Structure formats: structure tokens, C-alpha cells
Amino acid sequence: YTFMGYYTQNSTAGGKVTSLSATGYTADITLYALWVSALDAPTGLAFDKDAMTLSWNAVNNAVGYNVYDWGEKLNTTPITGTSFTVGTRPVGTCRFTVVAVSVNTTETMDFNSAPSEEVTYIVEPEEGTYTNKIDVSADGKTALGFYDKNSGTLTILGEGRVDESIIDKINAIGEDEAKNITTIDLSNSAITTI
């Protein structure tokens, strides 16, 4: 909690008392000490890939929400509802989070919530830009490989760890096909281990 000052009402809408001298007060008054804490993080974040829309549960006392992908804010002003259409995203792994906005946040004091739990979504490359799609998911996280036989490029999108059977899956495309991989592209992913 952060002490915000004394007020003549039990909110910041009341007059803030800047001096406790008797000057200016002709009767007894009640003062309220205002303590403020950061908002709770939004919960229940979900992504509807067909509508390209995020939704989440409301946070008490939030005046709005900001939506982020890899830390980049997607909205220009706080969203007043509990859903947001993200629209078209570039090929790669989206990592969406939502932050509840507090009326008490100023340029010098941040009372917004911490980011929500993250929701990931893979924007796949267009068909025809790769020759094979390989599921290399592990540990309950989604990871997809997009292999282009012509260029020898394997692009891996998703999060977490790549399944150790990736070489076997590539070799199933063609005998010793894994030897033809010249580039592994992880630049648009959240892959932590291959």
C-alpha cells in the first residue's frame, strides 16, 4: 500500500487536504487517510483464434485494460470492456497478456496490475511457403516446425521445449532429410530448448 494523503471524503474525489492548520476550517471535519495498492492481475485470459479475440475476467476497481503482445501494447487507449480483437498478427508466436488500469496511476506512481497469465497463439506461415508441417510439441506446450525442403530452412514457432523426436520426424519426410537442414529459425518463437 502507498499513502496518498488525507482527504475530506473517503475517495480521491473529495478535497485533498494539503495543510492541517486551523486556518480555513471553522468546524470539526472528518479526514480520511487514503491508502492505495496495485490492482489484481486479470484472470481467465482466453484467445478465440477464429475471431482473433482475447477475453478475460473483470478486475474490481479497474478503469480499463491494456493488451500486450510480447510486451508491445496493442491498444491506444484503455479498453473499457473485457474483450479485445487483436486483428491480423505477423507470422510467429504471439504472447498475449492483459494489464488492469488503475485510476490512481500517475506518471510517477504505478498502481496498474501485474500482467495476466500469458496466452500464446501461433500465426502460421501461408501454405506454399513450406513443404512440411511437423508437430514438435513437448511438456504440454505447443511447438510447430515448418520445413522448406527447397531452402533447407526449418522454422520453429511456439513455446517451451521442442520434442526430442524432431530429427526422427524430419527424417520421416525423406531418408536422412535432417542432414539437408541448413538453417533453423527460432526468431519469432518462445522456444527455450531444442
Side-chain angles (χ1 to χ4, degrees):
Y1 287 92
T2 300
F3 178 66
M4 299 295 289
Y6 291 103
Y7 289 81
T8 57
Q9 292 181 15
N10 195 13
S11 74
T12 56
K16 184 172 183 176
V17 177
T18 56
S19 170
L20 291 178
S21 70
T23 307
Y25 297 104
T26 57
D28 290 342
I29 62 168
T30 301
L31 295 179
Y32 296 91
L34 181 61
W35 293 85
V36 177
S37 66
L39 297 174
D40 292 333
T43 59
L45 185 61
F47 184 68
D48 178 341
K49 67 181 180 177
D50 295 325
M52 293 299 285
T53 300
L54 287 164
S55 61
W56 56 91
N57 298 324
V59 173
N60 288 336
N61 301 317
V63 294
Y65 303 90
N66 290 326
V67 174
Y68 298 86
D69 181 7
W70 284 84
E72 173 192 349
K73 189 162 84 165
L74 301 182
N75 52 300
T76 53
T77 59
I79 300 157
T80 56
T82 56
S83 66
F84 180 73
T85 300
V86 299
T88 303
R89 302 302 300 152
V91 171
T93 305
C94 297
R95 298 176 80 177
F96 298 117
T97 57
V98 176
V99 171
V101 177
S102 171
V103 69
N104 295 309
T105 293
T106 65
E107 286 193 29
T108 58
M109 298 172 71
D110 184 4
F111 295 103
N112 293 344
S113 74
S116 66
E117 291 289 322
E118 186 176 271
V119 170
T120 59
Y121 172 68
I122 298 173
V123 179
E124 297 183 10
E126 287 186 38
E127 287 189 32
T129 61
Y130 59 90
T131 53
N132 299 86
K133 177 179 171 181
I134 308 161
D135 185 346
V136 291
S137 303
D139 302 331
K141 305 278 186 178
T142 301
L144 298 174
F146 298 91
Y147 178 56
D148 181 5
K149 265 181 142 173
N150 302 318
S151 69
T153 300
L154 174 62
T155 301
I156 301 176
L157 302 175
E159 63 177 330
R161 177 178 76 76
V162 172
D163 186 73
E164 50 277 332
S165 67
I166 185 171
I167 299 299
D168 294 333
K169 289 180 178 184
I170 293 169
N171 284 336
I173 295 167
E175 188 174 333
D176 292 330
E177 189 64 36
K179 291 179 182 177
N180 296 323
I181 294 174
T182 58
T183 305
I184 297 178
D185 180 4
L186 300 172
S187 61
N188 293 314
S189 72
I191 299 296
T192 55
T193 308
I194 291 186

